Amino acid sequence: MTAPVLLLLTHDATGAVVSVDQVDPAKPHVSVADLSATRGDGIFESVGIVGGRAQALEPHLERFARSARMLDLPAPDLDVWRSAILRAADLADEPETELLAKVIFTRGVEGTGVPTGWVHVFASPSYRAAREGGIRVVTLDRGYRSDVADTSPWLLQGAKTLSYAINMAALREAARRGADDVVFVSTDGIVLEGPNSNVIALIDGVYVTTPVELGVLKGTTQGAFFADVEARGAKVEYRSMTLAELQGASAVWLSSSGRQIAAVTELDGVPMAQDPAITPVELAALLAR
Amino acid sequence: MTAPVLLLLTHDATGAVVSVDQVDPAKPHVSVADLSATRGDGIFESVGIVGGRAQALEPHLERFARSARMLDLPAPDLDVWRSAILRAADLADEPETELLAKVIFTRGVEGTGVPTGWVHVFASPSYRAAREGGIRVVTLDRGYRSDVADTSPWLLQGAKTLSYAINMAALREAARRGADDVVFVSTDGIVLEGPNSNVIALIDGVYVTTPVELGVLKGTTQGAFFADVEARGAKVEYRSMTLAELQGASAVWLSSSGRQIAAVTELDGVPMAQDPAITPVELAALLAR
């Protein structure tokens, strides 16, 4: 069993990191007044570490910086965060095990103006069943129009915040409906993303995903998937998809940093078309990154 | 200066409290893997303590239990929580100072199934300027229809969760617009609530607030305000209000546990009608509870 690794990034009031310290993850390190714990007020990334390699590190750091801007947090010093993630991965020293690095940056203890940060590396749960057998998915209304990222930036759509209670509630609702995961749909019928994933659909021979302009996260694993299929000569497209298009796709996957990709076998209780030739090839390519 | 008081409620896997311990609030007590800190996955109440008295304690506990149900958390043992809040207020022993008790219940450290809980009592910030001079408010789109609590319960509207990043972002947006606070409006034009408050409007001689069926929190201070004005012979009503009605009201207040009430002096940059006779009377009544 992999021993978790925890690095704390101590900041000063300017938002600069003054030290990075390895500490015991079994002990508490967060104040009850930290705005992460009281308000979900902060941002995160989950970086997959496979074969000792932190995957899609630059896209993760770029998205981390974008989330910080959207939340009016100090700009994270990406060089320091990159080093911390690589050092934590190195300290975990488990090339045979898939790991996850939770990279967290919060508004800090209320009233101090000093952000809090940490990198926590631990063994991934097993994704074998989902990767090999696929997942049953339900669609759930996200309650927002597909244009809210433009009209109402304070709703923080497209930022990866620590306020994930709705995402967790959506996953519990999926379980109640006998499903494994969720695809959120906008009130105007546009396919958005999963609570922890992006949606990739194969439609008329083209791999399609929802563009970030519609308030979804920029997918790091989806980006790697697209790069790989493009290198094999396939076409990719970022465009809005209706629910009807998703239902009629030749195949659908959810992509995420830990699980990589999982084929959707059932959508709202209806068996989905699948392409059993693609999933293992792409999964292998994603794991080999 | 009031010394903060912190009581930790240690739970077992059944969700029962096994001990309540006073600990040093200056030290960290939350794990980096606690789902409060990583997912905003938990609930809270902010209880005002004035003259040593925990205000609206039963309405707060009732709402706490309702939030727990909405998030599929174990039912909090309200007798234990009530005792802990009263004990923390007692330990703070500051009858001359207004205090706040943050009452927090989280899904706990990921993977353990054991909830985390605490009661943190500390001195309130000063609300004098807002109470005496009123507040400038902007309306912001919440992005949801007014019926989402019915149609889409996984959006957790009406639960007081730890996922408040959007509420905090809305307050920053208000500050950017030169205002002090926010009233959220639904996409169908219905007045909802503030990020930390309820809306009370005096319309045609009747005190009106938004009903919980529209996905707002049940106001504990608003409830006390309504009870007081009813006792003085005024009429109160729970009904949906349009933005136009709010703009045309004889007076508007935002009510919350710490600040109690603050009169709205300006709505979206337009001076609001006010009733300077009511505010000090109701404020005194609320503080005397």
Side-chain angles (χ1 to χ4, degrees):
Chain A
M1 184 165 154
T2 306
V5 170
L6 177 59
L7 298 180
L8 288 187
L9 281 74
T10 303
H11 292 75
D12 66 19
T14 71
V17 175
V18 294
S19 71
V20 180
D21 303 291
Q22 188 180 6
V23 296
D24 180 356
K27 292 195 176 145
H29 296 283
V30 182
S31 163
V32 292
D34 194 280
L35 290 159
S36 59
T38 59
R39 300 288 192 186
D41 197 4
I43 59 171
F44 78 104
E45 289 291 324
S46 291
V47 181
I49 300 172
V50 180
R53 300 177 307 277
Q55 297 195 311
L57 187 52
E58 296 312 313
H60 277 294
L61 289 170
E62 213 174 272
R63 191 168 70 180
F64 196 54
R66 179 172 189 253
S67 296
R69 282 194 299 278
M70 291 179 71
L71 265 74
D72 303 308
L73 288 165
D77 183 334
L78 297 187
D79 289 338
V80 173
W81 284 92
R82 183 187 299 106
S83 300
I85 295 164
L86 293 172
R87 183 176 151 206
D90 208 43
L91 286 164
D93 190 25
E94 286 278 0
E96 301 308 312
T97 309
E98 287 183 38
L99 307 173
L100 278 174
K102 276 262 191 196
V103 182
I104 294 201
F105 187 46
T106 92
R107 208 175 301 278
V109 172
E110 188 162 10
T112 63
V114 179
T116 303
W118 66 84
V119 177
H120 186 201
V121 171
F122 49 87
S124 297
S126 170
Y127 299 112
R128 190 169 166 178
R131 287 173 178 170
E132 295 182 359
I135 50 175
R136 292 156 303 173
V137 167
V138 290
T139 57
L140 291 179
D141 176 21
R142 179 168 263 178
Y144 292 138
R145 294 178 315 270
S146 61
D147 64 353
V148 286
D150 267 348
T151 64
S152 312
W154 51 86
L155 299 176
L156 303 177
Q157 293 302 289
K160 200 166 173 71
T161 80
L162 299 175
S163 285
Y164 256 43
I166 290 172
N167 299 39
M168 308 312 277
L171 291 171
R172 291 193 299 276
E173 177 68 19
R176 268 192 285 273
R177 298 183 186 194
D180 309 300
D181 213 324
V182 170
V183 166
F184 283 121
V185 177
S186 69
T187 52
D188 47 335
I190 303 298
V191 171
L192 297 172
E193 62 190 348
N196 298 302
S197 62
N198 292 89
V199 180
I200 299 171
L202 183 58
I203 300 176
D204 297 332
V206 179
Y207 293 92
V208 180
T209 198
T210 308
V212 291
E213 289 73 19
L214 302 189
V216 305
L217 291 177
K218 185 171 178 174
T220 56
T221 307
Q222 166 271 319
F225 182 105
F226 271 28
D228 190 72
V229 295
E230 273 197 296
R232 294 174 200 265
K235 283 190 183 155
V236 304
E237 199 177 356
Y238 292 82
R239 67 166 174 87
S240 69
M241 275 180 276
T242 63
L243 179 53
E245 283 183 288
L246 194 73
Q247 290 162 336
S250 316
V252 175
W253 298 268
L254 297 190
S255 61
S256 51
S257 294
R259 199 169 59 188
Q260 308 280 348
I261 50 167
V264 177
T265 59
E266 210 180 281
L267 189 65
D268 291 324
V270 178
M272 269 297 299
Q274 291 175 65
D275 192 327
I278 299 172
T279 305
V281 171
E282 283 312 313
L283 189 55
L286 290 168
L287 288 169
R289 283 183 287 168
Chain B
M1 184 168 153
T2 306
V5 170
L6 178 59
L7 297 180
L8 288 187
L9 282 74
T10 303
H11 291 75
D12 66 18
T14 71
V17 175
V18 293
S19 71
V20 180
D21 304 291
Q22 189 181 5
V23 295
D24 180 356
K27 291 196 176 145
H29 295 284
V30 182
S31 163
V32 293
D34 194 281
L35 290 159
S36 59
T38 58
R39 299 289 192 185
D41 197 5
I43 60 171
F44 77 104
E45 289 291 323
S46 291
V47 181
I49 300 171
V50 180
R53 300 179 307 278
Q55 297 196 310
L57 188 50
E58 296 312 313
H60 277 293
L61 289 170
E62 213 173 274
R63 192 168 68 180
F64 196 54
R66 179 173 190 252
S67 296
R69 281 194 299 277
M70 290 179 71
L71 266 75
D72 304 309
L73 287 164
D77 182 334
L78 297 187
D79 289 337
V80 173
W81 284 91
R82 182 187 300 106
S83 300
I85 295 164
L86 293 171
R87 182 175 152 206
D90 209 43
L91 286 164
D93 189 26
E94 286 279 359
E96 302 307 313
T97 309
E98 288 183 37
L99 308 173
L100 278 174
K102 276 261 190 197
V103 182
I104 294 202
F105 187 46
T106 92
R107 208 176 300 278
V109 172
E110 189 162 8
T112 63
V114 179
T116 303
W118 66 84
V119 177
H120 186 201
V121 171
F122 49 87
S124 297
S126 170
Y127 299 111
R128 189 169 167 179
R131 287 174 179 169
E132 295 182 1
I135 51 175
R136 292 157 304 173
V137 167
V138 290
T139 56
L140 291 180
D141 176 22
R142 180 167 263 178
Y144 292 137
R145 294 178 316 270
S146 61
D147 64 353
V148 286
D150 266 349
T151 63
S152 312
W154 51 87
L155 299 176
L156 303 177
Q157 292 303 289
K160 200 164 172 74
T161 80
L162 299 175
S163 285
Y164 257 42
I166 290 173
N167 299 39
M168 308 312 277
L171 291 170
R172 291 193 300 276
E173 177 67 19
R176 267 192 286 273
R177 298 184 186 192
D180 309 300
D181 214 323
V182 170
V183 167
F184 283 121
V185 178
S186 68
T187 51
D188 47 335
I190 303 299
V191 171
L192 296 173
E193 63 189 346
N196 298 302
S197 62
N198 292 88
V199 180
I200 299 171
L202 183 59
I203 300 176
D204 298 331
V206 179
Y207 293 92
V208 180
T209 197
T210 308
V212 291
E213 289 72 20
L214 302 190
V216 304
L217 290 177
K218 185 171 179 176
T220 56
T221 306
Q222 166 272 319
F225 182 106
F226 270 29
D228 190 71
V229 295
E230 273 197 297
R232 295 173 200 266
K235 284 190 183 156
V236 304
E237 199 177 356
Y238 292 82
R239 67 166 175 88
S240 68
M241 274 180 277
T242 63
L243 179 53
E245 283 183 287
L246 193 73
Q247 289 161 337
S250 316
V252 175
W253 297 269
L254 298 191
S255 61
S256 50
S257 295
R259 199 169 59 187
Q260 307 281 349
I261 50 167
V264 177
T265 59
E266 210 181 280
L267 189 64
D268 291 324
V270 178
M272 268 298 299
Q274 291 174 66
D275 193 327
I278 299 171
T279 305
V281 172
E282 283 311 314
L283 188 55
L286 290 168
L287 287 169
R289 282 182 288 168

